[in-house]
Amino acid sequence: MTTPGMVLRFSVEGGDYAAAGEAASKIKKALRKIGVDAGVIRRVAIAAYEAEMNIVLHALRGRLILEVAEDKLRVIAEDEGPGIPDVNLAMQEGFSTASDLAREMGFGAGMGLPNMKKCSDTITIETTKDRGTKVVMNFDIDDDGVT
Amino acid sequence: MKTRYHSVVLDEEKCQGCTNCIKNCPTEAIRVRGGKAVILTERCIDCGECIRTCENHAKKALSETLDDLKNFRYRVALPAPSLYGQFKRGVMPRAVLAALRQIGFDEVYEVAAAAELTTYAVRTYLEEYTAANDRRNLPLISSSCPAVVRLIQVRFPGLIPRIIPIDPPYVTAAKIFYRERLPELDYPPEEIGLFFITPCPAKITEIKTAVQAGYHVDGAIPFVSIFGKLQEQVEAGEKIDVLPKSTGVGIGWARAGGESVAVKWDNSLSVDGIHHVAALLEEIEMDKLNDIDYIEAMACPEGCVGGALTVENPFVARVKIRKLAETVNDKELPPEVAALGAELYAKGFFYSGQELPAIPALQLDKDLGVAIKKLEQVEGLMTKLPGLDCGACGSPTCRSLAEDIVQGNAQLSDCIFILREELEELASKLLLLSQKRPPALGKTGSEKEVAKSESKESSGKD
Ligand SMILES: Nc1ncnc2c1ncn2[C@@H]1O[C@H](COP(=O)(O)OP(=O)(O)O)[C@@H](O)[C@H]1O
Ligand code: SF4
Ligand SMILES: [Mg+2]
């Protein structure tokens, strides 16, 4: 972050399908309020939604953090959970360990992490077995890249 | 802020300052200030939701009336297809058209007939677009409901490119009228008045604000304002013979789902009711419906039959429209219509060519940096407000009050809970102050007593 900006935090509960997507939706609303380009909002919202769903689907609890400055946007998703044993494998399209229940509900297509990578300008994943995962995604604000 | 034209306005005298309307507005465009509702014109999409909600009928639509027919020598009615659903079962379009003639129109040109050409155009556009585009540029969204189009401009600007750039049926009706009938008439265009008979305020606004190229609709007259007169004529029986041109394909457009049935596009989805539409647009914006080709979205419950300026119950009207459509062939476009559609489509006749700008009415500031600061202030205020969204402050939600405060249009004490806290604080301060004596006053008996009681109090606390 080059210029100081603002920070918004949203907590996310693992397994709470009813509230799933609310944090991403709040992030989307906030970005709309400050007038970020619609294409950028779309990318951030999709990436944030996938990050939120991964906490709901795969972790115990966590939070989404939105950092906004005039030239940069950052979404951080951090959780307490099992961690990702093989990040390279998890990044592959279609790879998923989602439960049958989650699949029945239409989640777990294994496209979440690949989409997060596509939508963001940079993505880093730190993960520790049995501790949790932290995904940091950066977005250029004035560049309306196509996803 | 630039004020936009709106057909939906407030009747100050009738407004009781209740907060029913502010809650139901899909763009949070209404506030109650000074005991009266105020419509924020930049945000209003003229969906008419507040007209439906207000029990005091304090929201109304500005429109033309039959008096305005006087300004023209040749007056043409363009009745919306949903008009046919307003009358008793068994009343056929020809009776409605005759009634329109009898109340003062020289000619009637059915929008339902034009909707059949629109059907052809939309179908062809869908075929071309789906063949040429990636799934991530889908679904497309129907352009026929102006309230939905405006909602997209205000709340979902990213979806503007998804709006099908084909004129809505009433515009096609006007264009066709000028193309076919003008050469046959002995009047110059300025002496011909075209009036759309409308189920809703959204169409009125669209007519008043559209840049009308190659056609001109001179005004709009709501169903409600002429229904009584039409009804009388219908009951009296037809005195003029008018032959309807429309078939069930066009008439079906009056109800939710009718457009996709007419267009015969299987991979489509129909949604009605402005809040349902907004929820679905959220999903589309998140790329969750890329597997669907075409969305028919109508602001009103049950579609245009549920327009805010209609008279019949929307559910009843919907059934009547469906039944009527079935009796006059709703399966195939008549071959001559399809042929004309093809000829005109090739010429770009249906292409709306309208630039639809984003309307940044929900933004906190034009400047991103300032907007970020304001959002931060909003978040700060949110920690103070109770989060009950009760509306007593005159803003629809706590968050919208926080935004209004940050924009300088409201105060924290507008929240009755904050006000109560402040009053409590003030009251205890007052009590304390009332017990203080100016030092200049001598030690009178009473003063001593106070001093005593004060020391008692403090010692009691220890
Ligand atoms: N926050 C997380 N905690 C633990 N495992 C995760 C997390 N996010 C992703 N994963 C693992 O990576 C896999 C792929 O993730 P993703 O691409 O989002 O697909 P999906 O969520 O549909 O399974 C998941 O199935 C899961 O095994
Ligand atoms: S659904 Fe029909 S009646 Fe309702 S606002 Fe849209 S166009 Fe008007
Ligand atoms: Mg996932």
Side-chain angles (χ1 to χ4, degrees), chain B residues 324-393:
Chain B
L324 180 62
E326 281 167 9
T327 60
V328 278
N329 166 35
D330 59 348
K331 299 285 175 291
E332 286 303 332
L333 276 183
E336 68 280 8
V337 173
L340 179 61
E343 182 198 327
L344 294 175
Y345 190 90
K347 290 182 187 154
F349 182 85
F350 302 106
Y351 178 64
S352 63
Q354 255 207 69
E355 275 280 321
L356 292 171
I359 302 175
L362 300 178
Q363 233 165 277
L364 287 168
D365 203 276
K366 284 198 294 289
D367 181 278
L368 186 66
V370 178
I372 292 173
K373 285 208 188 73
K374 285 184 174 173
L375 183 62
E376 219 170 355
Q377 290 166 11
V378 169
E379 296 297 333
L381 287 168
M382 284 304 288
T383 62
K384 293 188 187 145
L385 293 168
L388 294 173
D389 295 342
C390 73
C393 57

Coordinates of all heavy atoms in Angstrom, one line a residue, chain B residues 324-393:
Chain B
L324 N -56.0 -15.4 -23.0 CA -56.3 -14.6 -24.3 C -55.3 -15.0 -25.3 O -55.6 -15.2 -26.5 CB -56.3 -13.1 -23.9 CG -56.5 -12.2 -25.1 CD1 -57.9 -12.4 -25.7 CD2 -56.3 -10.7 -24.7
A325 N -54.0 -15.0 -24.9 CA -52.9 -15.3 -25.9 C -53.2 -16.7 -26.5 O -53.0 -16.9 -27.7 CB -51.6 -15.3 -25.2
E326 N -53.6 -17.6 -25.7 CA -53.8 -19.0 -26.2 C -55.0 -19.0 -27.3 O -54.9 -19.7 -28.2 CB -54.2 -19.9 -25.1 CG -53.0 -20.4 -24.3 CD -53.4 -21.1 -22.9 OE1 -54.6 -21.3 -22.7 OE2 -52.5 -21.3 -22.1
T327 N -56.0 -18.2 -27.0 CA -57.1 -18.2 -28.0 C -56.8 -17.6 -29.3 O -57.5 -17.8 -30.3 CB -58.4 -17.5 -27.4 OG1 -58.1 -16.2 -27.1 CG2 -58.9 -18.2 -26.2
V328 N -55.8 -16.7 -29.3 CA -55.4 -16.1 -30.6 C -54.0 -16.4 -31.1 O -53.3 -15.6 -31.7 CB -55.6 -14.5 -30.6 CG1 -57.0 -14.1 -30.8 CG2 -55.0 -13.9 -29.3
N329 N -53.7 -17.7 -31.0 CA -52.4 -18.3 -31.5 C -51.2 -17.6 -30.9 O -50.7 -16.6 -31.2 CB -52.4 -18.1 -33.0 CG -50.9 -18.4 -33.5 OD1 -50.2 -19.2 -33.0 ND2 -50.5 -17.6 -34.5
D330 N -50.6 -18.3 -29.9 CA -49.4 -17.8 -29.3 C -48.2 -18.7 -29.7 O -47.2 -18.7 -29.1 CB -49.5 -17.7 -27.8 CG -49.9 -19.1 -27.2 OD1 -50.2 -20.0 -27.9 OD2 -49.8 -19.1 -25.9
K331 N -48.4 -19.5 -30.7 CA -47.3 -20.5 -31.0 C -46.3 -20.0 -32.0 O -45.1 -20.0 -31.8 CB -47.9 -21.8 -31.6 CG -48.8 -22.5 -30.6 CD -48.1 -23.2 -29.5 CE -49.0 -23.7 -28.4 NZ -49.7 -22.7 -27.6
E332 N -46.7 -19.4 -33.1 CA -45.8 -19.1 -34.2 C -46.0 -17.6 -34.6 O -47.1 -17.1 -34.6 CB -46.1 -19.9 -35.5 CG -45.7 -21.4 -35.4 CD -44.2 -21.5 -35.1 OE1 -43.4 -20.7 -35.5 OE2 -43.8 -22.6 -34.5
L333 N -44.9 -17.0 -35.0 CA -45.1 -15.7 -35.6 C -45.8 -15.8 -36.9 O -45.4 -16.7 -37.7 CB -43.7 -15.1 -35.9 CG -43.0 -14.3 -34.7 CD1 -41.7 -13.8 -35.2 CD2 -43.8 -13.2 -34.2
P334 N -46.7 -15.0 -37.2 CA -47.3 -15.0 -38.6 C -46.2 -14.8 -39.6 O -45.3 -14.0 -39.4 CB -48.3 -13.9 -38.6 CG -48.6 -13.5 -37.2 CD -47.3 -13.9 -36.4
P335 N -46.3 -15.6 -40.7 CA -45.2 -15.6 -41.7 C -44.9 -14.2 -42.2 O -43.7 -13.8 -42.4 CB -45.6 -16.5 -42.8 CG -46.9 -17.1 -42.4 CD -47.3 -16.6 -41.1
E336 N -45.9 -13.4 -42.4 CA -45.7 -12.0 -43.0 C -45.0 -11.1 -42.0 O -44.2 -10.3 -42.3 CB -47.0 -11.4 -43.5 CG -48.0 -11.0 -42.5 CD -48.9 -12.2 -41.9 OE1 -48.6 -13.3 -42.3 OE2 -49.8 -11.9 -41.2
V337 N -45.2 -11.4 -40.7 CA -44.5 -10.6 -39.6 C -43.0 -11.0 -39.6 O -42.1 -10.2 -39.6 CB -45.2 -10.9 -38.2 CG1 -44.3 -10.2 -37.1 CG2 -46.6 -10.4 -38.2
A338 N -42.8 -12.3 -39.7 CA -41.4 -12.8 -39.7 C -40.7 -12.2 -40.9 O -39.5 -11.8 -40.8 CB -41.4 -14.3 -39.7
A339 N -41.3 -12.2 -42.1 CA -40.7 -11.7 -43.3 C -40.4 -10.2 -43.1 O -39.3 -9.7 -43.4 CB -41.6 -11.9 -44.5
L340 N -41.3 -9.4 -42.6 CA -41.1 -8.0 -42.4 C -40.0 -7.8 -41.3 O -39.1 -6.9 -41.5 CB -42.4 -7.3 -41.9 CG -42.2 -5.8 -41.6 CD1 -41.8 -5.0 -42.8 CD2 -43.5 -5.2 -41.0
G341 N -40.0 -8.6 -40.3 CA -39.0 -8.6 -39.3 C -37.6 -8.8 -39.9 O -36.7 -8.0 -39.6
A342 N -37.5 -9.8 -40.7 CA -36.2 -10.1 -41.4 C -35.7 -8.9 -42.2 O -34.5 -8.5 -42.2 CB -36.3 -11.3 -42.2
E343 N -36.6 -8.3 -43.0 CA -36.3 -7.2 -43.9 C -35.8 -6.0 -43.0 O -34.8 -5.4 -43.3 CB -37.6 -6.8 -44.7 CG -37.3 -5.7 -45.7 CD -38.7 -5.1 -46.1 OE1 -39.7 -5.8 -46.2 OE2 -38.7 -3.9 -46.3
L344 N -36.5 -5.7 -42.0 CA -36.2 -4.6 -41.2 C -34.9 -4.8 -40.3 O -34.1 -3.9 -40.1 CB -37.3 -4.2 -40.2 CG -38.6 -3.7 -40.9 CD1 -39.7 -3.5 -39.9 CD2 -38.3 -2.4 -41.7
Y345 N -34.8 -6.0 -39.9 CA -33.6 -6.4 -39.0 C -32.3 -6.1 -39.8 O -31.3 -5.6 -39.4 CB -33.7 -7.8 -38.6 CG -32.6 -8.1 -37.5 CD1 -32.9 -8.0 -36.2 CD2 -31.3 -8.6 -37.9 CE1 -31.9 -8.2 -35.2 CE2 -30.4 -8.9 -37.0 CZ -30.6 -8.7 -35.6 OH -29.7 -8.9 -34.7
A346 N -32.4 -6.6 -41.1 CA -31.2 -6.4 -42.0 C -30.8 -5.0 -42.1 O -29.7 -4.6 -42.3 CB -31.5 -7.1 -43.3
K347 N -31.8 -4.1 -42.0 CA -31.5 -2.6 -42.1 C -31.1 -2.0 -40.8 O -30.9 -0.8 -40.8 CB -32.8 -1.9 -42.7 CG -33.1 -2.2 -44.1 CD -34.4 -1.4 -44.5 CE -34.9 -1.8 -45.8 NZ -36.3 -1.6 -46.0
G348 N -31.1 -2.7 -39.8 CA -30.8 -2.2 -38.5 C -31.9 -1.4 -37.8 O -31.7 -0.6 -36.9
F349 N -33.1 -1.6 -38.3 CA -34.3 -0.8 -37.9 C -34.6 -1.0 -36.4 O -35.0 0.0 -35.7 CB -35.5 -1.4 -38.7 CG -36.8 -0.7 -38.4 CD1 -37.1 0.5 -39.1 CD2 -37.7 -1.2 -37.5 CE1 -38.4 1.1 -38.8 CE2 -38.9 -0.6 -37.2 CZ -39.2 0.6 -37.9
F350 N -34.3 -2.1 -35.8 CA -34.6 -2.4 -34.4 C -33.5 -2.0 -33.4 O -33.7 -1.9 -32.2 CB -34.9 -3.9 -34.2 CG -36.0 -4.4 -35.0 CD1 -35.8 -5.2 -36.1 CD2 -37.3 -4.0 -34.7 CE1 -36.8 -5.7 -36.9 CE2 -38.4 -4.5 -35.5 CZ -38.1 -5.3 -36.6
Y351 N -32.4 -1.7 -34.0 CA -31.2 -1.4 -33.2 C -31.4 0.0 -32.4 O -31.7 1.0 -33.0 CB -30.0 -1.3 -34.0 CG -28.7 -0.9 -33.3 CD1 -28.2 -1.7 -32.3 CD2 -28.1 0.3 -33.6 CE1 -27.0 -1.4 -31.6 CE2 -26.9 0.7 -32.9 CZ -26.4 -0.2 -31.9 OH -25.3 0.2 -31.2
S352 N -31.4 -0.1 -31.1 CA -31.7 1.1 -30.3 C -30.7 2.2 -30.4 O -31.0 3.4 -30.3 CB -32.0 0.7 -28.9 OG -30.8 0.2 -28.3
G353 N -29.4 1.8 -30.5 CA -28.4 2.8 -30.7 C -28.3 3.8 -29.5 O -27.7 4.9 -29.6
Q354 N -28.9 3.5 -28.4 CA -28.9 4.4 -27.2 C -27.7 4.1 -26.4 O -27.4 3.0 -26.0 CB -30.2 4.1 -26.4 CG -31.2 5.2 -26.6 CD -32.1 5.3 -25.3 OE1 -31.6 5.8 -24.3 NE2 -33.3 4.9 -25.4
E355 N -27.0 5.2 -26.1 CA -25.9 5.1 -25.1 C -26.5 5.1 -23.8 O -27.3 5.9 -23.4 CB -25.0 6.4 -25.2 CG -24.0 6.4 -26.3 CD -22.7 5.6 -25.9 OE1 -22.3 5.7 -24.7 OE2 -22.2 4.9 -26.7
L356 N -26.1 4.0 -23.0 CA -26.6 3.9 -21.7 C -25.5 4.2 -20.7 O -24.7 3.3 -20.5 CB -27.2 2.6 -21.4 CG -28.5 2.2 -22.1 CD1 -28.9 0.7 -21.9 CD2 -29.7 3.1 -21.7
P357 N -25.4 5.4 -20.2 CA -24.3 5.7 -19.3 C -24.5 5.1 -17.9 O -25.6 4.8 -17.5 CB -24.3 7.2 -19.2 CG -25.7 7.6 -19.4 CD -26.3 6.5 -20.3
A358 N -23.4 4.8 -17.2 CA -23.6 4.5 -15.8 C -24.0 5.7 -15.0 O -23.7 6.8 -15.3 CB -22.2 4.0 -15.2
I359 N -24.9 5.5 -14.0 CA -25.4 6.6 -13.2 C -24.8 6.4 -11.8 O -25.2 5.6 -11.1 CB -26.9 6.7 -13.1 CG1 -27.5 6.8 -14.6 CG2 -27.4 7.8 -12.3 CD1 -29.0 6.7 -14.6
P360 N -23.8 7.2 -11.5 CA -23.0 7.0 -10.2 C -23.7 7.5 -9.0 O -23.1 8.1 -8.2 CB -21.7 7.6 -10.5 CG -22.0 8.7 -11.4 CD -23.2 8.4 -12.2
A361 N -25.0 7.4 -8.9 CA -25.8 8.0 -7.8 C -25.5 7.5 -6.4 O -25.8 8.1 -5.5 CB -27.3 8.0 -8.1
L362 N -24.9 6.3 -6.4 CA -24.7 5.7 -5.1 C -23.3 5.9 -4.5 O -23.0 5.6 -3.4 CB -25.0 4.1 -5.1 CG -26.4 3.7 -5.6 CD1 -26.5 2.2 -5.7 CD2 -27.4 4.3 -4.6
Q363 N -22.5 6.5 -5.4 CA -21.1 6.8 -5.0 C -21.0 7.8 -3.9 O -21.7 8.8 -4.0 CB -20.4 7.3 -6.3 CG -19.2 6.5 -6.6 CD -18.8 6.8 -8.0 OE1 -19.3 6.3 -9.0 NE2 -17.9 7.8 -8.2
L364 N -20.1 7.7 -3.0 CA -19.9 8.7 -1.9 C -19.3 9.9 -2.4 O -19.5 11.0 -1.9 CB -19.2 8.1 -0.8 CG -19.9 7.0 0.1 CD1 -19.0 6.3 1.0 CD2 -21.1 7.7 0.9
D365 N -18.4 9.8 -3.4 CA -17.8 11.0 -3.9 C -17.2 10.7 -5.3 O -16.9 9.6 -5.6 CB -16.6 11.5 -3.0 CG -16.3 12.9 -3.2 OD1 -15.5 13.3 -4.1 OD2 -16.9 13.7 -2.5
K366 N -17.1 11.7 -6.1 CA -16.5 11.6 -7.5 C -15.0 11.2 -7.3 O -14.5 10.4 -8.1 CB -16.6 12.9 -8.2 CG -17.9 13.2 -8.8 CD -17.9 14.2 -9.9 CE -17.5 15.6 -9.5 NZ -18.4 16.3 -8.6
D367 N -14.3 11.8 -6.3 CA -12.9 11.5 -6.1 C -12.7 10.3 -5.3 O -13.2 10.2 -4.2 CB -12.3 12.8 -5.5 CG -10.8 12.6 -5.2 OD1 -10.4 11.9 -4.2 OD2 -10.1 13.1 -6.1
L368 N -11.9 9.4 -5.8 CA -11.8 8.1 -5.1 C -11.2 8.2 -3.7 O -11.7 7.6 -2.8 CB -10.9 7.2 -6.0 CG -10.7 5.7 -5.5 CD1 -12.0 5.0 -5.6 CD2 -9.6 5.0 -6.3
G369 N -10.2 9.1 -3.6 CA -9.6 9.3 -2.3 C -10.6 9.8 -1.3 O -10.6 9.4 -0.1
V370 N -11.3 10.9 -1.7 CA -12.3 11.4 -0.8 C -13.4 10.4 -0.5 O -13.8 10.3 0.7 CB -13.0 12.7 -1.5 CG1 -14.1 13.2 -0.6 CG2 -12.0 13.7 -1.8
A371 N -13.8 9.6 -1.5 CA -14.8 8.6 -1.3 C -14.3 7.5 -0.2 O -15.1 7.1 0.6 CB -15.1 7.9 -2.6
I372 N -13.0 7.2 -0.3 CA -12.5 6.2 0.6 C -12.6 6.8 2.1 O -13.0 6.1 3.0 CB -11.0 5.9 0.3 CG1 -11.0 5.1 -1.0 CG2 -10.4 5.0 1.4 CD1 -9.6 4.8 -1.5
K373 N -12.2 8.1 2.2 CA -12.3 8.7 3.5 C -13.7 8.7 4.0 O -14.0 8.5 5.2 CB -11.8 10.2 3.4 CG -10.3 10.2 3.3 CD -9.7 11.5 3.9 CE -8.2 11.6 3.6 NZ -7.9 11.9 2.2
K374 N -14.6 9.0 3.1 CA -16.0 9.1 3.5 C -16.5 7.7 4.0 O -17.2 7.6 4.9 CB -16.9 9.6 2.4 CG -16.8 11.2 2.2 CD -17.7 11.7 1.2 CE -17.7 13.2 1.1 NZ -18.5 13.7 -0.1
L375 N -16.1 6.7 3.2 CA -16.5 5.3 3.6 C -16.0 5.0 5.0 O -16.6 4.3 5.8 CB -16.0 4.3 2.6 CG -16.5 2.9 2.8 CD1 -18.0 2.8 2.8 CD2 -15.9 1.9 1.8
E376 N -14.7 5.4 5.2 CA -14.2 5.2 6.5 C -15.0 5.9 7.6 O -15.2 5.3 8.7 CB -12.7 5.8 6.6 CG -11.8 4.9 7.3 CD -10.3 5.3 7.1 OE1 -10.1 6.3 6.3 OE2 -9.5 4.7 7.8
Q377 N -15.4 7.1 7.4 CA -16.3 7.8 8.3 C -17.6 7.0 8.5 O -18.1 6.9 9.6 CB -16.6 9.2 7.9 CG -15.3 10.1 7.9 CD -15.6 11.4 7.2 OE1 -16.7 11.7 6.7 NE2 -14.5 12.2 7.0
V378 N -18.1 6.5 7.4 CA -19.4 5.8 7.5 C -19.2 4.6 8.4 O -20.0 4.3 9.3 CB -19.9 5.3 6.1 CG1 -21.0 4.3 6.2 CG2 -20.3 6.5 5.2
E379 N -18.1 3.9 8.2 CA -17.8 2.7 9.0 C -17.7 3.1 10.5 O -18.1 2.4 11.4 CB -16.5 2.0 8.5 CG -16.6 1.4 7.1 CD -17.7 0.3 7.0 OE1 -18.0 -0.4 8.0 OE2 -18.2 0.1 5.9
G380 N -17.1 4.2 10.7 CA -16.9 4.7 12.1 C -18.3 5.0 12.7 O -18.6 4.6 13.9
L381 N -19.2 5.6 12.0 CA -20.5 5.9 12.5 C -21.3 4.6 12.7 O -22.1 4.5 13.6 CB -21.3 6.8 11.5 CG -20.8 8.2 11.4 CD1 -21.4 8.9 10.2 CD2 -21.2 9.0 12.7
M382 N -21.0 3.6 11.9 CA -21.8 2.4 12.0 C -21.5 1.7 13.4 O -22.4 1.0 13.9 CB -21.4 1.4 10.9 CG -22.0 1.7 9.5 SD -23.8 1.8 9.6 CE -24.2 0.1 9.8
T383 N -20.4 2.0 14.0 CA -20.1 1.4 15.3 C -20.9 2.1 16.4 O -21.2 1.5 17.4 CB -18.6 1.5 15.7 OG1 -18.3 2.8 15.7 CG2 -17.7 0.8 14.6
K384 N -21.4 3.3 16.1 CA -22.2 4.0 17.1 C -23.7 3.8 16.9 O -24.4 3.8 17.9 CB -22.0 5.5 16.9 CG -20.6 6.0 17.3 CD -20.5 7.5 17.3 CE -19.0 7.9 17.5 NZ -18.7 9.1 16.7
L385 N -24.1 3.5 15.7 CA -25.6 3.4 15.4 C -26.0 2.0 15.9 O -25.2 1.0 15.8 CB -25.9 3.6 13.9 CG -25.6 5.0 13.5 CD1 -25.7 5.2 12.0 CD2 -26.7 6.0 14.1
P386 N -27.3 1.8 16.2 CA -27.7 0.6 16.8 C -27.9 -0.6 15.9 O -28.0 -1.7 16.3 CB -29.1 0.9 17.4 CG -29.6 2.1 16.7 CD -28.3 2.9 16.3
G387 N -27.9 -0.3 14.6 CA -28.0 -1.4 13.6 C -29.4 -2.1 13.5 O -29.5 -3.2 13.1
L388 N -30.4 -1.3 13.9 CA -31.8 -1.9 13.9 C -32.5 -1.6 12.6 O -33.5 -2.2 12.3 CB -32.6 -1.3 15.0 CG -32.1 -1.6 16.4 CD1 -32.9 -0.8 17.5 CD2 -32.3 -3.1 16.7
D389 N -31.9 -0.7 11.8 CA -32.6 -0.3 10.5 C -34.1 0.0 10.7 O -34.9 -0.4 9.9 CB -32.4 -1.5 9.5 CG -31.0 -1.7 9.1 OD1 -30.1 -0.8 9.3 OD2 -30.7 -2.8 8.6
C390 N -34.4 0.7 11.8 CA -35.8 1.0 12.1 C -36.4 2.0 11.2 O -37.6 2.1 11.0 CB -36.0 1.4 13.5 SG -35.4 3.1 13.9
G391 N -35.6 2.9 10.6 CA -36.2 3.9 9.7 C -36.8 5.2 10.3 O -37.2 6.1 9.7
A392 N -36.8 5.2 11.7 CA -37.4 6.4 12.4 C -36.6 7.7 12.1 O -37.2 8.7 12.2 CB -37.4 6.1 13.9
C393 N -35.3 7.5 11.7 CA -34.5 8.7 11.4 C -34.9 9.3 10.0 O -34.5 10.4 9.7 CB -33.1 8.4 11.4 SG -32.7 7.0 10.2

